Amino acid sequence: MKEELLEIKRVALEAIEMAGSAKELHDVKNEFLSKQGKLTAILRGMREVKAEDRPVIGALVNEVRDAIEMSLDDKQRYFKNAEIEAQLAAEQIDISLPALEIPVGAPNILEKVLEEVEEVFMSMGYDVVDGPEVEEDRFNFELLNIPKGHPARDAQDTFYIEDEKILLRSQTSPVQARTMLAAGGNKPIRMICPGKTYRRDADDATHSHQFVQIEGLLVDKNISLANLKGTFDVIAKKLFGEDVETRFRPSYYQFTEPSVEMDITCFSCKGKGCSLCKSTGWITIGGAGIVHPNVLRNCGYDHKVWSGFAFGFGADRIAMLKYGINDIRKFYQTDLRESAVFDRKED
Ligand code: DAH
């Protein structure tokens, strides 16, 4: 019996050694340890073993079973590890592959232009102020020397909210009146007001019912067009480059006298003439003038003591020219591809 047991041990361990898969190992286990297994069969024969030999044979049976079980466990662990290894190898992540693109937005180009303009003016001591977009007729027109029924109102027809009294501001100029009234008529003023404006307009590539202006107002003593020209020159050079030149053309606004259009030499062709400047060599970027005495008076400033200049830039126009954007509507449509285009243009 002893020999039989040792033989079973040898054969079982060899079979375990040879097992090529978890399935084969399972079969080996059945072959030796199951109810019908070879080792179990031997145990049944214990009855025939002499009583004095039983402890020795019993111990040997246990030893053989332990050896077979231990060997089975080892091999099982081996197969389990191999399975995990194979799975890891199959599911390996290739870290050299490019990562998925995470879309990030870019600041609206118009916002960037405003920030740039604000920086330049702040460096010259100007305050950046805000005014309401829903405005009273009084500030938008009347205090600015545009009484009811004045033909100049036609060009700035806007969205009325309440009768003819409350409207969406058609220009940022009402902030001039608000600032002067708040200042109380006895202090100098230096302010710019960037902000949205509205007009009743049919939208197309160059017209929008909503656009952005940058208003400016300086009130002090003995202010002349020369001060305005100097200021405009500094701004234009900062925004468009040191080689840009500026000029005034006579114009007409109700709230300034005299009034001018502000032109810069075309930064694309440097004044030679191209499609951007329609072959003139010049680009108009806003209106300006010396604050009309009626406006100073309406807003609490003695026009015999105080004088000032005011201007209004078209911010959309500046941004479009500067960044080569061909449609004003792109500024308020939230198409991500556009911000990508904006971003690239800036590089
Ligand atoms: N508010 C004018 C417009 O919308 C622009 C403008 C012109 C503003 C002359 C001014 C100015 O302050 O002095 O057309």
Side-chain angles (χ1 to χ4, degrees), residues 156 171 173 176 199 213 215 253 255-256 287-289 310-312:
Q156 298 204 8
Q171 49 185 350
S173 304
Q176 289 187 31
R199 287 189 199 173
Q213 291 190 331
E215 192 74 23
Y253 293 100
F255 32 86
T256 42
F311 55 84

Side-chain angles (χ1 to χ4, degrees), residues 12 17 54 60 90 120 205 231 271 314 332 340:
E17 175 77 38
R54 271 188 203 156
L60 185 62
V120 181
T231 305
Y332 58 85

Side-chain angles (χ1 to χ4, degrees), residues 138-196:
R138 196 162 71 97
F139 289 108
N140 196 76
F141 291 128
E142 281 181 44
L143 292 172
L144 298 177
N145 206 28
I146 316 172
K148 289 215 159 56
H150 193 289
R153 287 188 177 220
D154 290 352
Q156 298 204 8
D157 196 13
T158 180
F159 301 88
Y160 285 86
I161 299 203
E162 204 186 294
D163 302 330
E164 302 237 312
K165 284 203 198 93
I166 309 285
L167 43 82
L168 292 187
R169 68 179 177 197
S170 60
Q171 49 185 350
T172 41
S173 304
V175 185
Q176 289 187 31
R178 286 181 173 276
T179 309
M180 280 190 267
L181 285 169
N186 56 7
K187 333 190 231 304
I189 294 172
R190 258 187 240 190
M191 72 86 172
I192 61 160
C193 168
K196 285 203 199 98

